[in-house]
Every structure is written in C-alpha cells, then in structure tokens.
C-alpha cells in the first residue's frame, strides 16, 4: 500500500498563492505518475495537473498557466504551486499516484485531501 501525506492547503485571498505538497511512503516501487485532482462542492473530481515521470506535465484547461506541478521521482514527492488563485479554485485538492508493473493492472492511490479556500 501507498500512503500519501498532503499539506499546504488553507485560506487565501483572490490573486494570492498557495503551494501544496504531497509525499508518498510505503510501497513506493512502481510509482510512475503523480498528480493533483480537486473536487469543489457539488462538482465531480477533476484533474488539476499530472506529472508522469519522464514525460511532459499536463494541466486542466482551467489552469491557464496559473499553476505549476513539480514531481521529484527520487523523493516521491509532488508539489503544486498555485498562483493568481480565484474563488472558483475553492475545492478539496487530492494527491494521486499511479503504480505500474509489467503484466499487472495499474494501481491508483489517493490522499485524504487538503482544503483550499479562496475568498476575500
């Protein structure tokens, strides 16, 4: 099993910044992608940013250059720098990792979430 520890959420004013961090521990072998998702009230969970090891990061359309994801393969950490935050970015943000092994189903793990609240 993989355990994910998230930190960095909180309350910020519109236009402000937050940095979310996530560290994977436990059965970390085979992790080949780390990502952040979010779920706002009444909304489905959506991809914020994904960082596959050795590949280009991808972002949700709503990011519009405001967020940057950085993963450290050796440390098994993933950070999400969020700038120019908007009230609509208010959501619970979840760390996600994928494990991939040859000839075996991929595994996904989720953190418990960290709340981001953007309000004047």
């Amino acid at each position: 099993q993989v355990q994910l520890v998230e930190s960095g959420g909180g309350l910020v004013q519109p236009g402000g910044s937050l940095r979310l961090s996530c560290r994977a521990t436990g059965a970390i072998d085979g992790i080949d992608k780390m990502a952040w998702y979010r779920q706002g009230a009444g909304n489905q969970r959506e991809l914020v940013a994904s960082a596959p090891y050795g590949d280009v990061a991808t972002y949700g359309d709503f990011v519009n250059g405001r967020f940057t994801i950085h993963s450290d393969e050796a440390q098994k950490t993933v950070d999400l720098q969020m700038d120019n935050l908007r009230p609509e970015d208010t959501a619970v943000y979840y760390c996600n990792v994928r494990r991939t092994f040859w000839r075996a189903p991929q595994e996904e793990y989720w953190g418990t979430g960290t709340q981001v609240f953007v309000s004047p």
Side-chain angles (χ1 to χ4, degrees), residues 26-72:
I28 60 175
D29 57 306
I31 291 178
D32 64 348
K33 181 170 72 77
M34 303 187 79
W36 284 95
Y37 287 73
R38 73 183 189 183
Q39 187 166 15
N43 296 330
Q44 291 186 333
R45 192 170 295 188
E46 61 183 350
L47 175 70
V48 179
S50 173
Y53 291 163
D55 205 345
V56 179
T58 58
Y59 296 87
D61 291 341
F62 57 86
V63 170
N64 289 323
R66 300 178 298 128
F67 301 171
T68 303
I69 190 170
H70 174 73
S71 66
D72 186 318

Side-chain angles (χ1 to χ4, degrees), residues 88-109:
E88 54 264 38
D89 294 316
T90 294
V92 178
Y93 285 69
Y94 297 91
C95 181
N96 168 272
V97 301
R98 183 183 73 188
R99 298 175 77 200
T100 301
F101 298 95
W102 189 55
R103 288 189 173 180
Q106 290 181 327
E107 303 172 4
E108 276 197 293
Y109 297 87

